[in-house]
Amino acid sequence: MQPIGFKSHDHGTCIAHSVTSVQKQCAERGLQLTPVRQRVLEILLAKHQAMGAYDILAVLKADGFSAQPPVAYRALDFLVGNGFAHKIERLNAFVACSHPSSEHVPAFLICRVCENVAEGIANLSEDTVAASARDAGFIIERAVVEAEGVCPNCDGAQP
Amino acid sequence: MQPIGFKSHDHGTCIAHSVTSVQKQCAERGLQLTPVRQRVLEILLAKHQAMGAYDILAVLKADGFSAQPPVAYRALDFLVGNGFAHKIERLNAFVACSHPSSEHVPAFLICRVCENVAEGIANLSEDTVAASARDAGFIIERAVVEAEGVCPNCDGAQP
DNA sequence: TTGATATATGTTATAGTATATCATAACAAG
DNA sequence: CTTGTTATGATATACTATAACATATATCAA
């Protein structure tokens, strides 16, 4: 699977598709995609960049929602907990999931210049990681790969 | 390479070997392993568990070192920057490196029950991650794998 | 040795991230 | 209707990290 985020694409439909997909899944799984939750998802989808909780909060405030930290964190917990968004631990920030329809180990390619984030899919089960875990008797419940570097748009432009 | 941390081992020599190894490398590379830095390394080595900066600070304080946050963070920056320790982003915490003598992509197996951490080595270059990055034109400078789950000592004991 | 430069530490203050807690509202099930 | 559940509102606080500036210590060239 290809990461998206560094290649030009029709971002309008990209957003629309994602929202529709999440709405559909929520309906199927009996989850409530409430106004705040959907709005936070849209905010995240607006760009392929990680956003901090307080950045999101500022947008929510401008939209007339209550702007206390828990508002943002609760919505983010919902989205992350149900696989509609991910937290980039390295940045203490969040991104909408690019592959919301399937279970996967996300692999983030984080550009340290423009801060855009592309999400690929790692295949740890065929990596030495899975072998190590197996040998150690460790049961992996969830995992994430975070890679920092330079994206093609920034390579050459900025060192 | 095997992760360590979940199997019983002679932890005394484990610590001693690590300290000696780091001392040797610092000498070779012209790095100053000052008292605070070495002490923080020892504190991290004391257990195969991630420690927060403020936990470390508390120990430093008990040892008579200055106990302002920058003291701990500077020592940690030194250790992490030179590959003698790693930051576990998911936990906002730090661990001594188990393989301080080689460049590697660390893969952490984090037990959510006992909070012990084992460090293995990922081989992303043969993972789909490397292929995705290559296809996207993304240059990976550093990466980390963080896997959360249950270690063999806790499996069965606690759900 | 001395002085210049770089590196490391001491200290205060503050910025940034996240959660605990309690109160209220909306709604469905019994 | 009242009980249980889920979501939201609101306040306060805890936890994590860094900026900024002063002082000290090491390193090295002249």
Side-chain angles (χ1 to χ4, degrees), chain A:
Chain A
M1 182 102 46
Q2 291 276 58
I4 64 175
F6 298 136
K7 29 187 71 163
S8 57
H9 58 287
D10 183 341
H11 194 49
T13 65
C14 165
I15 294 178
H17 280 181
S18 294
V19 172
T20 307
S21 165
V22 170
Q23 284 171 333
K24 182 155 163 286
Q25 282 186 67
C26 285
E28 288 170 1
R29 294 157 61 188
L31 302 171
Q32 298 185 46
L33 189 62
T34 61
V36 201
R37 292 169 175 176
Q38 175 161 340
R39 188 68 191 105
V40 171
L41 176 65
E42 290 166 357
I43 292 167
L44 290 177
L45 283 168
K47 37 184 183 161
H48 290 290
Q49 238 169 343
M51 292 185 76
Y54 284 73
D55 297 328
I56 292 167
L57 209 53
V59 181
L60 284 179
K61 187 171 196 170
D63 288 354
F65 287 95
S66 173
Q68 264 49 52
V71 173
Y73 282 104
R74 283 166 181 162
L76 289 166
D77 283 349
F78 171 84
L79 295 172
V80 171
N82 292 294
F84 305 137
H86 298 287
K87 180 175 184 185
I88 315 260
E89 302 288 350
R90 181 168 188 83
L91 304 176
N92 294 318
F94 302 82
V95 284
C97 178
S98 300
H99 317 289
S101 51
S102 66
E103 282 286 317
H104 57 283
V105 173
F108 300 107
L109 305 178
I110 307 163
C111 177
R112 65 169 164 75
V113 179
C114 68
E115 299 192 289
N116 269 44
V117 174
E119 180 187 347
I121 292 183
N123 189 5
L124 294 188
S125 58
E126 292 181 10
D127 196 306
T128 46
V129 175
S132 291
R134 207 179 312 115
D135 290 350
F138 186 94
I139 301 160
I140 295 178
E141 293 174 342
R142 55 173 178 277
V144 66
V145 176
E146 295 186 3
E148 187 177 290
V150 183
C151 80
N153 303 325
C154 294
D155 187 29
Q158 291 98 334

Side-chain angles (χ1 to χ4, degrees), chain B residues 123-136:
Chain B
N123 189 5
L124 294 188
S125 57
E126 292 180 11
D127 196 307
T128 46
V129 175
S132 291
R134 207 179 312 115
D135 290 351

